[in-house]
Every structure is written in C-alpha cells, then in structure tokens.
C-alpha cells in the first residue's frame, strides 16, 4: 500500500511516498539558511517556513513518482516529539487531507521512526543512491541507538512496533553537544559536520577529555564534555588561533573521539545484556564517519544497520515506513481531535 508521509517536527519540511520499506519519492526542504545566523532553531520561524513549504513539497513527491492521491492507501504524519508549532503544520495538513480524500491517517513517533531508518530501500526510480544500508540482514531483537540534535536514546527493539527504552541522555543530546561545542569553538552552526571535518586532520588523543558515565549504566551525559571543551579552548587561548589551527583540529578530534567512544561503549554494554541479532545506529549524528566506523569495527560479528547519510537526518521516508506498519495494524489512527505531542516517550506507544 502506497503511503504519503509528512514530517515537520523541527527544521526540515519533508514528504515521501513509500510502499513498505521502499521509497518511491521524497523531498526534504531544509530551513538551515533561516536559522543558522541565530545559532539554533527559532520555533516561530520554523512554523512559518513549514507552512510555506508543505503544499509544494507534497505536490513535488507526487510529480517525482508520477503518482496521484488516487494511488495512495493511507497517510502518516509525525505526531511528536518536536516543536509544537512545527509539528502542527504537517499534522493539520494531514488531517485535512485525511478528511477530504477519505484516507486513514496514523501518527508516528519521530524517534522510533529514526531507529527503523536502516530498513529503508530506494525504489527503482530513485537513482541517486548512496551507500547501500545493510537492512535486509537485520533481524530482531536488535539494539538501536538514536542520536540526533534533540535525542540520545538506547532501545531494545523486539519488533518494529515494540520498543523498550534502555538508556537516555540525562542532559544534552549527542548532536546538541556537537552543536554547542562547535559554537564554543567559533565553528558555527550546526556543528556536527564541521567538527567531523576539522577532526579529520586532528589528533584524537591531543587533549584528554572525559568519557562521562563510563561503565555506569546505560544512560548518557554530554553537558560536562561541552564544559571541558570550553575549558581547554580558554586555557589554550584558542580564540587567538587561525580557523585552521592544529590546536582546534586536535580539540575537535578529541571531542569527537570522546563522544563516539561513549556511544559505542554503551551500545556494547546493551548488547552484552540482551541477546540481539543486530545493532542499529540512527539519527543525525549517525552520519558521523568516526562513529560509523567504530560501530562497524566493534560489532563485526553482528548485522549492523546504519542508514544512508540522507536518512540519518530528518526525513519523511522513515515516517512512511513506520506509518505503513501502523496503518496495517490500525495503530494510532488519528481523527480531527488528535493533538501534537511535543514530548512523547516511546513506551506509551501500543
Ligand atoms: O536527526 P537530525 O537531523 O535532527 C534532529 O532530530 O535533531 O539531527 C541533527 C543533529 C545536529 O545536532 C547535527 O549537528 C548532528 O545531527 N550531525 C552530526 C553530523 N551531521 C549532523 N553530528 C556529528 N557528525 C556529523 N557528521
Ligand atoms: Zn530527527
């Protein structure tokens, strides 16, 4: 069944046409240009930009797939978590479409959808394929780490709809730590990709940074690491350094290594506690090359699921895949009264 999926939880407006795990077309319109001068996402600007984009991107995915609304069997939309004013745009649009086209609409949890992104496949018509994810061999149960700008969660996934939270961040998300550290180091926003680029020429042992909560349960903490970055930056007077200074590169590499070490270590702890067939790392930070390599190296004996880079970031394809599974089970079907859920712990999903 062809599903039209919509996503507007943060700063990307996205639509996709998906059948099962196969993606026939997708569009992601990023608002990065609007937010980057503020050093973060401004909720009011995000909501307005989603509103301006949503109709056009839906038209775009139909045009790209050579399909029409008559081909669609159901609708899926991100219901949460996220910024309420942003979530409401796709949710309201989807509700209107559901009523006018008489199509069932299901509400999808954005974080849960990230975790299933390694299962996505490109349809024949999508020729721009990047590296092929190792989806088909992935089996359940699996341990999934979702690391993004807003979330750092470790899940035991028994089946696509059965998630159990094993650990979460107690303060900053991993992506937030990348963004805040980059800002402290004068590298701009968003920070993940810039830090990764700087780190390529840096020494990961250049500065001794902590591995927070190492060996202490499955929760994470990243705010102390960001403070350490600030301390080193000041002690070493990096303010006076040129943008391509070796000191900055070493600090970026040391920070990235600390985050990747902790993430892979906690994944390893989770895998040792539960008998799983596969390991998944997803979300924006899963685009990080050092983290991807470390994960593949550490779990060489298991099936490892890493989404292709564009499916690490926010997208509607992942919403369509999980949405299709939910529609098939009549799960979380929304009516006009359904509300956006800015906070939505996965445990509450049935
Ligand atoms: O999943 P996403 O697009 O949006 C959220 O749901 O948050 O993730 C965005 C986050 C940002 O914090 C960004 O800095 C981080 O993912 N990120 C990276 C990389 N690319 C994006 N972090 C580390 N290395 C990267 N290459
Ligand atoms: Zn996300």
């Amino acid at each position: 069944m062809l599903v039209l999926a919509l996503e507007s939880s943060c700063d990307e407006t996205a639509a996709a046409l998906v059948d099962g795990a196969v993606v026939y077309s997708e569009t992601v319109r990023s608002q990065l240009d609007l937010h980057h001068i503020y050093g973060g996402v401004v909720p009011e600007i995000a909501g307005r930009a989603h509103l301006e984009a949503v109709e056009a991107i839906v038209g775009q995915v139909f045009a790209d797939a050579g399909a029409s609304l008559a081909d669609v069997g159901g609708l899926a939309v991100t219901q949460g978590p996220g910024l309420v004013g942003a979530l409401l745009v796709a949710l309201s649009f989807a509700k209107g479409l559901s009523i006018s086209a008489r199509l069932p609409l299901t509400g999808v949890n954005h974080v849960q959808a990230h975790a299933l992104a390694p299962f996505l496949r490109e349809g024949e018509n999508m020729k721009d394929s990047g590296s092929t994810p190792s989806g088909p061999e992935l089996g359940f149960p699996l341990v999934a780490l979702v690391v993004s700008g807003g979330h750092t969660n470790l899940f035991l996934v028994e089946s696509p709809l059965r998630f159990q939270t094993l650990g979460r961040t107690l303060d900053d998300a991993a992506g937030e730590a990348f963004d805040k550290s980059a800002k402290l180091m004068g590298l701009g926003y968003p920070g993940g990709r810039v830090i990764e680029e700087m780190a390529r020429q840096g020494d990961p042992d250049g500065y001794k940074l902590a591995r927070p909560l190492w060996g202490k349960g499955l929760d994470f903490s990243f705010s102390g690491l960001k403070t350490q970055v600030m301390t080193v930056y000041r002690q070493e007077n990096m303010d006076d350094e040129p943008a391509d200074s070796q000191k900055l590169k070493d600090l970026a590499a040391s920070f990235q290594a600390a985050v990747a070490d902790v993430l892979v270590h906690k994944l390893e702890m989770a895998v040792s506690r539960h008998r799983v067939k596969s390991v998944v790392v997803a979300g924006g930070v899963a685009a990080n090359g050092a983290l991807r390599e470390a994960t593949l190296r550490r779990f060489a004996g298991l099936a490892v699921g890493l989404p292709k880079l564009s499916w690490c970031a926010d997208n509607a394809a992942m919403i369509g895949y999980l949405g299709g599974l939910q529609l098939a089970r009549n799960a979380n079907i929304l009516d006009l009264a359904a509300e956006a859920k800015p906070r939505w712990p996965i445990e509450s999903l049935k």
Side-chain angles (χ1 to χ4, degrees), residues 7 9-12 110-111 114 146-151 173-179 189-197 200 256 282-289 291 309 311-315 318:
E7 149 71 37
S9 66
C10 189
D11 61 344
E12 263 101 22
H110 178 92
V111 180
H114 265 304
V146 178
V147 266
S148 71
H151 313 281
E176 194 178 355
F178 269 95
D179 295 338
Y189 169 87
R193 214 178 300 164
V194 199
I195 289 198
E196 182 173 6
E197 251 158 55
R200 271 197 204 109
Q256 179 178 271
V285 181
N288 185 275
L291 176 61
L309 297 190
W311 286 332
C312 289
D314 287 348
N315 66 85
M318 65 185 191

Side-chain angles (χ1 to χ4, degrees), residues 21-106:
V22 180
V23 184
Y24 286 98
S25 67
E26 66 167 333
T27 304
V28 180
R29 191 171 293 181
S30 172
Q31 305 174 1
L32 203 57
D33 291 352
L34 301 175
H35 300 289
H36 92 270
I37 52 165
Y38 301 102
V41 177
V42 183
E44 286 77 9
I45 295 177
R48 214 166 300 157
H50 285 309
L51 204 53
E52 281 164 16
V54 66
E55 201 174 344
I57 60 156
V58 169
Q60 186 72 48
V61 289
F62 279 120
D64 289 350
S68 75
L69 200 53
D71 302 313
V72 171
L75 306 172
V77 68
T78 305
Q79 193 180 3
L83 302 167
V84 68
L87 288 165
L88 278 172
V89 176
L91 180 60
S92 308
F93 189 91
K95 281 184 193 173
L97 208 54
S98 165
I99 299 290
S100 64
R102 296 172 193 249
L103 288 168
L105 168 65
T106 187

Side-chain angles (χ1 to χ4, degrees), residues 9-341:
S9 66
C10 189
D11 61 344
E12 263 101 22
T13 328
L17 283 170
V18 180
D19 191 345
V22 180
V23 184
Y24 286 98
S25 67
E26 66 167 333
T27 304
V28 180
R29 191 171 293 181
S30 172
Q31 305 174 1
L32 203 57
D33 291 352
L34 301 175
H35 300 289
H36 92 270
I37 52 165
Y38 301 102
V41 177
V42 183
E44 286 77 9
I45 295 177
R48 214 166 300 157
H50 285 309
L51 204 53
E52 281 164 16
V54 66
E55 201 174 344
I57 60 156
V58 169
Q60 186 72 48
V61 289
F62 279 120
D64 289 350
S68 75
L69 200 53
D71 302 313
V72 171
L75 306 172
V77 68
T78 305
Q79 193 180 3
L83 302 167
V84 68
L87 288 165
L88 278 172
V89 176
L91 180 60
S92 308
F93 189 91
K95 281 184 193 173
L97 208 54
S98 165
I99 299 290
S100 64
R102 296 172 193 249
L103 288 168
L105 168 65
T106 187
V108 172
N109 184 302
H110 178 92
V111 180
Q112 189 179 8
H114 265 304
L116 299 179
F119 289 91
L120 292 172
R121 287 280 162 278
E122 288 164 326
E124 280 297 301
N125 52 332
M126 288 184 65
K127 293 275 189 264
D128 65 329
S129 72
S131 61
T132 312
S134 53
E137 314 96 53
L138 294 178
F140 294 92
L142 57 81
V143 164
L145 173 69
V146 178
V147 266
S148 71
H151 313 281
T152 299
N153 291 52
L154 199 48
F155 299 109
L156 176 63
V157 186
E158 282 142 35
S159 69
L161 295 184
R162 293 195 62 194
F163 277 57
Q164 186 190 327
T165 298
L166 301 175
R168 57 171 67 80
T169 183
L170 303 176
D171 41 58
D172 292 348
E176 194 178 355
F178 269 95
D179 295 338
K180 287 179 174 171
S181 298
K183 205 166 167 182
L184 287 167
M185 293 165 68
L187 300 175
Y189 169 87
R193 214 178 300 164
V194 199
I195 289 198
E196 182 173 6
E197 251 158 55
M198 298 281 289
R200 271 197 204 109
Q201 294 158 43
D203 175 5
D205 298 316
Y207 295 99
K208 289 224 171 319
L209 301 182
R211 303 301 191 251
L213 299 183
W214 191 267
K216 295 188 185 133
L218 296 176
D219 286 334
F220 304 86
S221 167
F222 292 108
S223 68
L225 208 46
K226 164 199 70 192
T227 310
Q228 272 195 309
V229 167
M230 183 169 71
T231 308
V232 172
Y233 185 85
R234 289 193 179 147
Q235 274 171 356
E236 297 277 327
N237 291 319
M238 292 193 197
D239 241 351
D240 302 329
E241 296 283 325
D244 66 342
S245 98
Q246 193 56 45
K247 281 185 180 179
L248 277 171
K249 289 173 183 168
D250 290 349
L251 184 54
S254 303
F255 167 79
Q256 179 178 271
V259 175
D261 272 0
V262 170
L263 293 176
V264 175
H265 169 63
K266 300 273 170 170
L267 256 179
E268 212 168 19
M269 284 176 72
V271 166
S272 73
R273 288 180 189 187
H274 302 275
R275 294 183 128 248
V276 293
K277 296 196 170 118
S278 332
V279 170
V280 159
V281 182
V285 181
N288 185 275
L291 176 61
R292 293 172 85 90
E293 279 159 31
T295 307
L296 288 168
R297 223 178 307 120
R298 200 71 60 92
F299 301 102
L302 288 175
V304 176
L306 301 168
K308 74 164 185 163
L309 297 190
S310 64
W311 286 332
C312 289
D314 287 348
N315 66 85
M318 65 185 191
I319 304 299
Y321 172 49
L322 178 51
L325 296 172
Q326 292 183 189
L327 286 164
R329 291 166 179 74
N330 267 326
N332 201 28
I333 301 299
L334 306 184
D335 59 21
L336 268 185
E339 290 179 357
K341 298 181 177 183

